[in-house]
Amino acid sequence: DARRLAETMFAVEPYKSRRSDFNVRALAVPTTESGIHNPRTAAARRTPLGTSYNIFDSERYALTMDNRAWRDIASAAPYDAVEILINNRYYGGGGIFNDQATVAVDSGSAEYIFVHEFGHHFAGLGDEYYTSDVAYETGSAEKIEPWEPNVTAMHNPATLKWKDLVEAGTPLPTPWDKDAYEKHSIEYQTERRRLRATGAPEAEMDELFLALETWETKFLSSMKFSGKVGAFEGASYEPKGLYRPEADCIMFTRDKVGFCRVCRRAISRVIDLHTAR
């Protein structure tokens, strides 16, 4: 699993071009039971790292809150970033900047989760999606400029933090078929909640994710400004007032589009920081 997921990440830019800047080490930690604690499914586990689902009261979010336990284990090898691999089929993972990232390795979406959550952990990227159930949302009418490099409140389009990547003639904000996207997403989220509430097998959840990926890939690539850097409203759990750089990105959907140009640059800057380039 460690090799498989590392290879997945190094197939995505900018990691692909910067692979020689990374060392990857795997630590195998023995445990009495496979899997981790999940209070939503009554799967009780006590693991050496203390990893659990339902962090921040989000059924899919997994982390360990036992900082000393996981750092004691991680100290067996030099590290700048840590990814915790969870032996679970249940969809989930998490990522905190400069702390840790996790992934359920047997989920049908493991490759996506690994790359997405490592983006949070390693480069401080923000979530660009806004229609999923999440533990955190401001609901505030006034949006403060986010610190994450790939989300903006764009109080002044002239000082947009990725303005240098916007082609001449691209309007700011950048129009996209937001209403149609939200209509489809509401239907999908309703079905996702139903599957979780009824305890449906993970295979059914995987089928739902695959159907959504197929629809979103086609939909988000067929608009006038698809593939362009701009400021697309809807990001960081907020439908209004926050903007993402491109119509699609791995920080927005599970689509196999990789990182947008703003995210790629942000990741490259962190790699440069670690390698003193």
Side-chain angles (χ1 to χ4, degrees):
D1 289 325
R3 290 183 185 278
R4 169 174 61 92
L5 294 171
E7 288 302 318
T8 296
M9 189 182 82
F10 287 124
V12 178
E13 292 291 0
Y15 300 116
K16 182 177 181 179
S17 298
R18 303 294 297 273
R19 182 168 186 159
S20 63
D21 290 318
F22 285 82
N23 296 303
V24 181
R25 299 175 175 87
L27 302 176
V29 183
T31 185
T32 55
E33 293 181 284
S34 184
I36 66 168
H37 185 60
N38 190 338
R40 298 274 183 129
T41 63
R45 298 284 189 278
R46 185 181 295 276
T47 65
L49 279 77
T51 320
S52 175
Y53 287 100
N54 206 50
I55 300 298
F56 308 134
D57 199 32
S58 172
E59 55 91 13
R60 69 180 183 270
Y61 209 83
L63 291 174
T64 173
M65 307 301 279
D66 192 337
N67 185 65
R68 180 172 181 175
W70 78 257
R71 289 194 185 275
D72 279 348
I73 292 169
S75 67
Y79 68 89
D80 295 299
V82 169
E83 182 85 33
I84 299 172
L85 306 188
I86 301 166
N87 287 316
N88 263 89
R89 179 83 171 82
Y90 190 96
Y91 179 95
I96 304 294
F97 184 42
N98 275 340
D99 186 51
Q100 62 183 279
T102 71
V103 56
V105 298
D106 296 319
S107 166
S109 300
E111 287 80 5
Y112 151 76
I113 298 170
F114 183 90
V115 178
H116 176 100
E117 299 298 348
F118 194 77
H120 290 309
H121 170 43
F122 181 70
L125 300 179
D127 281 320
E128 296 177 8
Y129 58 80
Y130 65 93
T131 58
S132 299
D133 293 333
V134 295
Y136 169 78
E137 53 186 326
T138 68
S140 171
E142 181 181 357
K143 301 297 189 294
I144 297 172
E145 179 62 26
W147 65 269
E148 294 92 340
N150 61 321
V151 181
T152 183
M154 200 174 63
H155 296 300
N156 181 0
T159 58
L160 177 66
K161 54 189 172 187
W162 54 76
K163 183 71 182 298
D164 60 310
L165 298 178
V166 179
E167 294 181 7
T170 303
L172 300 173
T174 310
W176 68 293
D177 297 332
K178 188 169 183 283
D179 290 342
Y181 173 82
E182 290 174 358
K183 180 178 182 297
H184 186 273
S185 185
I186 289 171
E187 295 171 355
Y188 152 75
Q189 293 295 344
T190 299
E191 177 62 9
R192 178 175 178 173
R193 293 186 198 102
R194 186 192 71 79
L195 291 176
R196 276 290 176 249
T198 59
E202 284 300 303
E204 292 188 31
M205 190 68 74
D206 290 341
E207 289 176 6
L208 179 65
F209 290 155
L210 182 59
L212 179 67
E213 178 186 323
T214 301
W215 185 88
E216 287 183 332
T217 299
K218 181 179 180 181
F219 180 82
L220 293 170
S221 64
S222 61
M223 297 179 293
K224 180 178 180 180
F225 294 102
S226 296
K228 301 286 188 181
V229 175
F232 297 79
E233 189 174 41
S236 192
Y237 326 131
E238 297 283 356
K240 298 287 187 181
L242 292 180
Y243 303 82
R244 62 189 190 278
E246 293 192 30
D248 206 359
C249 173
I250 199 170
M251 301 310 293
F252 182 53
T253 70
R254 296 180 193 82
D255 301 345
K256 296 178 178 62
V257 296
F259 291 101
C260 70
R261 274 161 285 185
V262 170
C263 288
R264 291 201 299 267
R265 180 167 69 179
I267 294 168
S268 294
R269 285 173 170 169
V270 175
I271 298 173
D272 290 345
L273 178 68
H274 284 287
T275 58
R277 287 195 179 185

